[in-house]
Amino acid sequence: MAPELMNPLFLDRGCDAVLTAVEVKPEHLAIVLAGLKQIANLDGILVTVPHKFAVCSQIDAASEAVTLAGSANALRREPDGSWSGDNFDGKGFVRGLQIAGHAPAGKVVSLVGAGGAGVSVAVALMIAGARRLHVTDVSAERAGGLVDRLSKKWPGRISLAAAPDSRSDIVVNATPLGLVETDPLPFDPALLPATAVVADIIMKPAETRLLKAAAEIGLPTHPGIHMLTNQVELYREFFRIP
């Protein structure tokens, strides 16, 4: 969906640029990036699943968000020809929460999913001042690695969990569950407090099964599209677009 948002921005700002989609298999990522970096008029690259972890090895200078998350979704060519990397998934997601009146500062947050976007969301939630963060993932190794990395910066505030904490103020689905109508729910919203905000990072469909189930029992919800739309301004600044 990024080209649909970025290309109108280029046009509006009089920027002689275009963003186009390139499909790459995981085993070809390094080869494709090596080739793309030789294109003299290529100034930036956006990265989506499943490449957000692997692309970190292609970055010369990583932001704090990339270092903490181990995941990147934007690369920028610098004047000296080197490539800088950042990750705006989490920053965009948190900005969307804040604009909607669900600021995570001082809150107990449960995050389900520690994949490429989930790790970025975790970092951004902590930077934004979340009081506690509980992380759940089908891969204990992946979730444990994230908890270990973040606990070095925020000791005693992050923990592994088998399921979202029943005292959570905000619960985030950062798994792919919900992309398909027949997917099982990533967690049961009925087990959450009556005031808990249920948020999803999935953009299509706009209302996932999870959000629908949460709304049906009266829980406030937050759809995934905000994560992308609130990244546009961050991309603009990162890629130095007027």
Side-chain angles (χ1 to χ4, degrees):
M1 295 176 67
E4 299 174 21
L5 296 173
M6 294 300 294
N7 287 328
L9 175 67
F10 295 147
L11 186 63
D12 179 65
R13 303 304 170 89
C15 184
D16 185 13
V18 64
L19 178 66
T20 188
V22 178
E23 184 176 357
V24 183
K25 294 181 179 179
E27 61 268 29
H28 298 154
L29 179 64
I31 297 172
V32 170
L33 281 176
L36 291 176
K37 288 179 178 180
Q38 303 309 309
I39 300 174
N41 64 336
L42 177 66
D43 292 333
I45 301 171
L46 295 182
V47 183
T48 189
V49 291
H51 306 305
K52 293 179 183 181
F53 291 113
V55 78
C56 291
S57 65
Q58 306 292 324
I59 296 171
D60 299 308
S63 69
E64 181 185 36
V66 171
T67 301
L68 288 171
S71 169
N73 77 337
L75 279 65
R76 177 183 69 200
R77 188 198 300 271
E78 302 295 352
D80 64 0
S82 65
W83 286 82
S84 297
D86 209 331
N87 195 323
F88 299 108
D89 283 332
K91 296 175 187 178
F93 177 79
V94 167
R95 181 177 287 190
L97 281 178
Q98 292 167 334
I99 291 172
H102 307 309
K107 303 292 180 61
V108 176
V109 184
S110 288
L111 175 70
V112 181
V119 292
S120 179
V121 169
V123 170
L125 286 167
M126 295 307 298
I127 290 175
R131 179 163 55 92
R132 290 282 306 176
L133 179 65
H134 303 280
V135 180
T136 301
D137 193 89
V138 291
S139 168
E141 180 181 1
R142 184 165 57 190
L146 174 62
V147 170
D148 289 345
R149 284 198 307 276
L150 300 195
S151 292
K152 293 175 183 177
K153 185 174 179 66
W154 295 285
R157 294 169 57 189
I158 304 162
S159 60
L160 282 173
D165 191 278
S166 60
R167 299 158 294 180
S168 298
D169 300 300
I170 302 171
V171 184
V172 182
N173 173 42
T175 78
L177 294 176
L179 285 169
V180 179
E181 178 64 27
T182 55
D183 283 343
L185 295 178
F187 56 86
D188 185 356
L191 301 178
L192 303 178
T195 57
V197 176
V198 177
D200 212 322
I201 70 166
I202 290 175
M203 301 169 203
K204 289 184 179 180
E207 186 181 47
T208 59
R209 282 191 63 212
L210 173 65
L211 295 183
K212 184 176 181 181
E216 286 175 349
I217 58 175
L219 297 180
T221 61
H222 185 78
I225 189 61
H226 297 295
M227 184 175 77
L228 180 58
T229 56
N230 283 286
Q231 286 186 69
V232 173
E233 179 63 13
L234 299 172
Y235 288 149
R236 187 197 66 75
E237 295 170 358
F238 180 69
F239 290 119
R240 304 188 181 104
I241 299 166

